[in-house]
Amino acid sequence: MDSAAYSILMLNLVLGLGCGWPLAKAIARVSPTPTRVFRYFALLVVVYLVECVAFSASMATNVLSVGLAFVWGFLIGWWFRRWGAGERALLRTVLLFSLYSSLPAASFLSIPVLMVLGGHSVLSVEAGFQFGIPAFVPWPVNTILGFCVAVSLVAVTLKVVVTTYLARAFIVSRAARPCDTASPAA
C-alpha cells in the first residue's frame, strides 16, 4: 500500500473509534440497559467496518453504501422503537448514528487533500482521467476534486436521509394508537 492508502486507513480508524465511543455513550443514555456502553461501541465498530467495505466496493456508484442505509434505518428503527426513551432523544440518536455510518463516505474527501500534498493536480481533467474517472463524466465532476466531492456528498446525503427517515418511521409509529372504531352513543 502507498502512503495515501495508509493515510485513509488511519483516518478511518481514528473516525471509527473516535466517534464510535461518544455515540455508544449516547445510545446508552436512551437505552433501557445503559451499562452496555462497550457492547454498543463494539457494534458500532462492526457497523463502521461494514460501511468501509461497502463504500470501497461501490465507491463510484455508492450502491452498497446507500443500500446499507436501508438496512441500518430498518434495524435501528426496529430496535429503538422498543425502548422507552422519549421520541426526541431517540431521533437525535438516530441522526447521530446516520452521520456516523456516513463517515467512511465523508473520509473520501481526504483523497484530494492527499493528492495536493503529494504535488498532484486535483482540478485538471487530464489528472482526473489518469486517476480513473471515465471520460464521459461531465465537468467539474471529471476532476479529482469534483469527483471526490460529488461521490462523498451524494453518499452522505442519501445515507443520512434514508437511515433517519426509515428509523423515524418506526419510532414514530410506536406512539400511534389504533383508532377507536366504536360509534359514540346517541
Side-chain angles (χ1 to χ4, degrees), residues 32-88:
T33 53
T35 58
R36 294 186 172 174
V37 177
F38 187 76
R39 178 179 175 207
Y40 298 138
F41 177 68
L43 287 171
L44 288 170
V45 169
V46 169
V47 165
Y48 198 87
L49 291 173
V50 169
E51 284 290 342
C52 285
V53 169
F55 184 76
S56 297
S58 65
M59 181 176 54
T61 59
N62 291 320
V63 172
L64 295 175
S65 188
V66 173
L68 279 175
F70 288 93
V71 173
W72 303 141
F74 176 78
L75 289 175
I76 291 294
W78 177 76
W79 193 30
F80 279 13
R81 82 179 286 179
R82 300 178 302 156
W83 293 2
E87 185 177 306
R88 187 176 181 141

Side-chain angles (χ1 to χ4, degrees), residues 86-167:
E87 185 177 306
R88 187 176 181 141
L90 289 174
L91 292 176
R92 184 175 44 250
T93 307
V94 165
L95 179 61
L96 292 173
F97 175 83
S98 67
L99 290 169
Y100 177 78
S101 69
S102 300
L103 287 175
S107 73
F108 192 58
L109 290 172
S110 66
I111 289 177
V113 173
L114 294 171
M115 298 283 291
V116 167
L117 292 174
H120 301 282
S121 172
V122 294
L123 297 175
S124 163
V125 175
E126 180 62 31
F129 183 71
Q130 290 174 354
F131 183 71
I133 300 170
F136 65 84
V137 176
W139 186 87
V141 182
N142 62 354
T143 65
I144 295 171
L145 179 62
F147 180 75
C148 291
V149 168
V151 168
S152 292
L153 187 63
V154 167
V156 170
T157 302
L158 286 174
K159 289 181 73 54
V160 169
V161 168
V162 168
T163 303
T164 305
Y165 179 78
L166 283 175

